[in-house]
Amino acid sequence: MGDAVRARSPLRIGVVGAGQISGAYLRTLAALPDLPVTAVADLDETRASAVAATVPGARATTPTELYTAEDVDLVLNLTVPAAHADVARAAIAAGKHVYGEKPLAATTTEARSVLATADSAGVRVGCAPDTVLGTGVQSARAVLDAGQLGMPVAATAFMVTPGHELWHPAPEFYYRPGGGPLFDMGPYYLTALVTLLGPVRTVVGMASTSRPVRTVAGGPRAGTAFPVEVATHVTGVLEHECGALTTLVMSFDVWAGLLPRIEVYGTDGSLSVPDPNGFDGPVRLFRAGARQWEDVPVQGGYAGAGRGYGIADLARSLATGTPHRASGHLAYHVLDIMESLLTASETGRSISVMSAGERPAAVPAHAQPGAG
């Protein structure tokens, strides 16, 4: 079923996975034009019913029924990472577009299967994060695209936290394959870095696991211990195809830090980029020879964006026949970078990133979701 067939308005959405993140998506989708949520499914039927009751016009159903439902055009996959590929393939087999939470799949092998299946079926695959579509990263990109930084030389990207067990009521999946700081938060930072500097071709890295067991800190399960199955501190260097070198640190082992989220350094200055886990935030530029940093006005991106704008961008792309920005292929490149970093840490070697990533199109200033 090709894009021409599926490029309908409105684009009706079925949500699979009624967990904590679903609320953020549903709030955004309710405020966007022509993106009605018609069905909600979850392995926990009670939870699906509770979430569906908050969405006017939506019904609770089973995942199997949702995939084949006539009033669903796109499946929003909000399941745990280990289930991402299975849910995506089931939806694609039923002829639905798919937009999923990150990562695209638990492994690049599974991700390739998802993309190949979608290509055969003629449907689109989108994937979080869509935070890079907001005014923060897009205004920073506009500075780079205008040449105000000169030639990009290097970048830094830091995400440090003591771990999700301190606040999440059921944090175990963050410490299983497909989780950890790299797979949980890495997609935000790496997607931003590819958006800013372009694809990555080579990585080196090291990783460690500080504690084999962690404990839920609060809530009804406080005191529950669980095993750690992934690296909880990952550091590496990424060589972008443009030649810039990014130093990356992703950690669940740091109590506090004053490190910048992302900075980009060029021959003509430095650029401070806001937290890529958000859609906006201050962008600052230091020009060569200047005495202080200057604030960069909004120069691109969807203003006031929230989680779900990647779906609106995908709907726009269907209507215009253009590539969507938060794409499965971009998410696959990011997943390939993350896998390559872990392989580099295990082997002590420099690893070539084999996927051919592409820098997505910029979001112009004053862009509106659904517009061309």
Side-chain angles (χ1 to χ4, degrees), residues 2-363:
D3 281 355
V5 177
R6 305 300 295 174
R8 59 175 297 142
S9 182
L11 189 71
R12 301 163 300 180
I13 299 168
V15 179
V16 178
Q20 189 167 353
I21 194 63
S22 65
Y25 277 92
L26 292 172
R27 286 190 295 273
T28 300
L29 292 171
L32 289 171
D34 297 325
L35 293 173
V37 174
T38 56
V40 178
D42 193 280
L43 294 178
D44 183 335
E45 295 180 5
T46 301
R47 187 161 64 178
S49 296
V51 170
T54 68
V55 183
R59 69 186 187 283
T61 186
T62 66
T64 300
E65 191 279 330
L66 185 146
Y67 301 141
T68 58
E70 289 295 323
D71 63 348
V72 171
D73 304 305
L74 178 145
V75 172
L76 174 55
N77 182 0
L78 303 181
T79 57
V80 297
H84 285 180
D86 287 341
V87 170
R89 285 191 293 255
I92 292 165
K96 313 298 186 187
H97 301 297
V98 175
Y99 185 93
E101 253 303 318
K102 47 77 187 169
L104 179 60
T107 67
T108 53
T109 299
E110 288 187 333
R112 283 194 299 271
S113 172
V114 169
L115 295 178
T117 303
D119 286 344
S120 296
V123 298
R124 299 279 187 112
V125 175
C127 188
D130 54 3
T131 48
V132 295
L133 305 182
T135 56
V137 170
Q138 290 295 322
S139 293
R141 173 178 173 151
V143 170
L144 284 160
D145 288 351
Q148 295 181 66
L149 220 61
M151 183 182 72
V153 174
T156 53
F158 300 111
M159 191 296 300
V160 296
T161 175
H164 292 350
E165 70 276 11
L166 296 181
W167 60 270
H168 200 287
E172 285 88 343
F173 73 93
Y174 288 110
Y175 295 89
R176 293 171 181 155
L182 182 61
F183 275 68
D184 176 45
M185 296 302 295
Y188 296 106
Y189 288 76
L190 292 168
T191 303
L193 288 164
V194 173
T195 298
L196 294 168
L197 296 171
V200 172
R201 62 187 176 196
T202 311
V203 302
V204 294
M206 299 190 75
S208 63
T209 303
S210 63
R211 289 172 279 160
V213 175
R214 299 228 176 180
T215 304
V216 179
R221 300 180 65 243
T224 302
F226 58 91
V228 175
E229 303 174 33
V230 295
T232 52
H233 187 97
V234 180
T235 184
V237 177
L238 322 174
E239 181 191 28
H240 295 264
E241 289 184 2
C242 70
L245 301 178
T246 291
T247 301
L248 179 80
V249 176
M250 299 279 116
S251 183
F252 284 174
D253 291 330
V254 178
W255 280 105
L258 295 175
L259 299 164
R261 300 296 186 175
I262 295 177
E263 289 185 348
V264 182
Y265 314 114
T267 54
D268 293 340
S270 298
L271 183 66
S272 174
V273 184
D275 185 353
N277 193 20
F279 287 84
D280 52 19
V283 178
R284 296 187 174 96
L285 173 65
F286 190 96
R287 301 177 189 271
R291 292 181 178 273
Q292 61 186 13
W293 292 84
E294 63 184 82
D295 292 331
V296 174
V298 170
Q299 297 184 24
Y302 293 117
R307 297 183 194 276
Y309 264 62
I311 301 171
D313 188 77
L314 190 154
R316 173 207 57 83
S317 75
L318 287 171
T320 59
T322 55
H324 54 293
R325 295 178 175 93
S327 71
H329 290 282
L330 174 58
Y332 175 74
H333 182 61
V334 167
L335 180 60
D336 195 10
I337 295 169
M338 295 190 296
E339 260 194 16
S340 298
L341 268 172
L342 293 181
T343 299
S345 72
E346 292 165 359
T347 63
R349 296 187 292 110
S350 171
I351 301 296
S352 296
V353 178
M354 302 308 295
S355 56
E358 289 188 5
R359 196 173 180 232
V363 180

